[in-house]
Amino acid sequence: MATDRRASWLKGVLDLLVLASLTEGENYGYEIAKLLAGSGLGQIRGGTLYPVLNRLEEAGLVSAEFRVTERGPGRRYYRLTEQGRQTLAEQGRLWLAFDESVRTVLASGGLQ
Protein backbone atom coordinates (compact mmCIF):
# COMPACT_ATOMS: atom_id res chain seq x y z
CA MET A 1 0.00 0.00 0.00
CA ALA A 2 2.27 2.77 -1.27
CA THR A 3 -0.54 5.31 -1.71
CA ASP A 4 -0.06 8.60 0.15
CA ARG A 5 -3.22 9.06 2.22
CA ARG A 6 -2.43 12.47 3.69
CA ALA A 7 -4.85 14.32 1.39
CA SER A 8 -7.69 12.05 2.54
CA TRP A 9 -6.74 12.51 6.18
CA LEU A 10 -6.66 16.28 5.73
CA LYS A 11 -10.15 16.30 4.20
CA GLY A 12 -11.42 14.54 7.29
CA VAL A 13 -10.08 17.14 9.69
CA LEU A 14 -9.82 20.38 7.67
CA ASP A 15 -13.03 21.89 9.05
CA LEU A 16 -11.69 21.44 12.57
CA LEU A 17 -8.28 22.87 11.64
CA VAL A 18 -9.87 25.95 10.09
CA LEU A 19 -11.93 26.53 13.23
CA ALA A 20 -8.80 26.12 15.35
CA SER A 21 -6.92 28.60 13.16
CA LEU A 22 -9.47 31.29 14.05
CA THR A 23 -9.26 31.00 17.86
CA GLU A 24 -6.80 33.91 18.11
CA GLY A 25 -9.01 36.23 16.07
CA GLU A 26 -10.33 36.92 12.62
CA ASN A 27 -8.41 36.20 9.46
CA TYR A 28 -8.85 35.89 5.70
CA GLY A 29 -8.49 32.83 3.51
CA TYR A 30 -4.96 33.31 2.22
CA GLU A 31 -3.60 33.85 5.74
CA ILE A 32 -5.49 30.81 7.04
CA ALA A 33 -3.93 28.73 4.26
CA LYS A 34 -0.45 30.09 5.12
CA LEU A 35 -0.94 29.31 8.81
CA LEU A 36 -1.99 25.73 8.04
CA ALA A 37 0.90 25.27 5.59
CA GLY A 38 3.30 26.65 8.19
CA SER A 39 2.03 24.01 10.60
CA GLY A 40 3.34 21.30 8.29
CA LEU A 41 0.07 20.43 6.56
CA GLY A 42 1.24 21.37 3.09
CA GLN A 43 -0.33 23.81 0.69
CA ILE A 44 -4.10 24.17 1.03
CA ARG A 45 -5.44 25.47 -2.27
CA GLY A 46 -8.28 27.94 -2.51
CA GLY A 47 -10.45 25.36 -4.27
CA THR A 48 -10.22 23.28 -1.10
CA LEU A 49 -10.23 26.01 1.57
CA TYR A 50 -13.00 28.34 0.37
CA PRO A 51 -15.70 25.66 0.15
CA VAL A 52 -14.82 24.72 3.74
CA LEU A 53 -15.09 28.35 4.85
CA ASN A 54 -18.44 28.69 3.05
CA ARG A 55 -19.74 25.48 4.65
CA LEU A 56 -18.63 26.67 8.11
CA GLU A 57 -20.33 30.03 7.53
CA GLU A 58 -23.58 28.39 6.40
CA ALA A 59 -23.49 26.21 9.52
CA GLY A 60 -23.11 29.31 11.73
CA LEU A 61 -19.66 28.25 12.97
CA VAL A 62 -17.91 31.29 11.48
CA SER A 63 -19.10 34.71 10.45
CA ALA A 64 -17.67 36.57 7.49
CA GLU A 65 -17.28 40.21 6.54
CA PHE A 66 -16.03 41.60 3.23
CA ARG A 67 -13.68 44.57 3.53
CA VAL A 68 -12.41 46.84 0.80
CA THR A 69 -8.67 47.50 0.90
CA GLU A 70 -6.75 50.59 -0.16
CA ARG A 71 -4.62 48.56 -2.55
CA GLY A 72 -5.49 45.31 -4.22
CA PRO A 73 -8.69 43.33 -4.04
CA GLY A 74 -11.01 43.33 -1.05
CA ARG A 75 -10.84 40.48 1.43
CA ARG A 76 -13.39 38.39 3.21
CA TYR A 77 -12.49 38.12 6.90
CA TYR A 78 -13.71 35.14 8.93
CA ARG A 79 -14.37 35.09 12.66
CA LEU A 80 -15.20 32.16 14.93
CA THR A 81 -18.73 32.34 16.40
CA GLU A 82 -19.70 31.09 19.85
CA GLN A 83 -21.27 28.05 18.18
CA GLY A 84 -17.99 27.55 16.32
CA ARG A 85 -16.05 27.65 19.60
CA GLN A 86 -18.37 25.05 21.11
CA THR A 87 -18.09 22.83 18.05
CA LEU A 88 -14.30 23.15 18.08
CA ALA A 89 -14.18 22.14 21.76
CA GLU A 90 -16.48 19.14 21.27
CA GLN A 91 -15.05 17.90 17.99
CA GLY A 92 -11.49 18.68 19.09
CA ARG A 93 -11.87 16.37 22.09
CA LEU A 94 -13.29 13.64 19.85
CA TRP A 95 -10.44 14.06 17.35
CA LEU A 96 -7.80 13.84 20.09
CA ALA A 97 -9.39 10.65 21.43
CA PHE A 98 -9.44 9.21 17.90
CA ASP A 99 -5.78 10.20 17.41
CA GLU A 100 -4.85 8.47 20.66
CA SER A 101 -6.63 5.29 19.54
CA VAL A 102 -4.84 5.35 16.18
CA ARG A 103 -1.48 5.86 17.89
CA THR A 104 -2.18 2.95 20.24
CA VAL A 105 -2.94 0.59 17.38
CA LEU A 106 0.05 1.75 15.34
CA ALA A 107 2.36 1.39 18.35
CA SER A 108 1.12 -2.15 18.95
CA GLY A 109 2.07 -2.83 15.34
CA GLY A 110 5.63 -1.82 16.05
CA LEU A 111 5.48 1.81 14.90
CA GLN A 112 6.84 4.46 17.22
Side-chain angles (χ1 to χ4, degrees):
M1 182 165 95
T3 305
D4 187 346
R5 303 263 187 226
R6 288 178 290 186
S8 296
W9 301 336
L10 184 60
K11 280 184 183 179
V13 74
L14 188 56
D15 289 22
L16 192 58
L17 297 174
V18 169
L19 292 176
S21 75
L22 294 170
T23 56
E24 297 298 317
E26 66 185 13
N27 218 335
Y28 57 96
Y30 178 72
E31 287 297 321
I32 293 169
K34 278 182 25 181
L35 183 128
L36 295 174
S39 297
L41 297 168
Q43 182 182 11
I44 311 292
R45 298 191 184 280
T48 300
L49 180 60
Y50 289 103
V52 168
L53 287 165
N54 288 335
R55 188 170 54 249
L56 294 173
E57 183 180 9
E58 288 174 6
L61 304 179
V62 301
S63 61
E65 178 185 349
F66 183 80
R67 296 185 195 155
V68 177
T69 60
E70 300 249 342
R71 293 184 298 179
R75 294 183 176 140
R76 193 164 171 84
Y77 283 81
Y78 298 89
R79 180 180 308 111
L80 199 56
T81 64
E82 186 54 39
Q83 183 181 354
R85 287 185 191 285
Q86 292 172 2
T87 297
L88 174 60
E90 293 165 7
Q91 295 300 311
R93 280 191 295 274
L94 291 172
W95 177 263
L96 291 174
F98 176 75
D99 174 69
E100 185 177 331
S101 297
V102 169
R103 287 173 184 267
T104 298
V105 172
L106 290 176
S108 72
L111 296 177
Q112 298 290 328

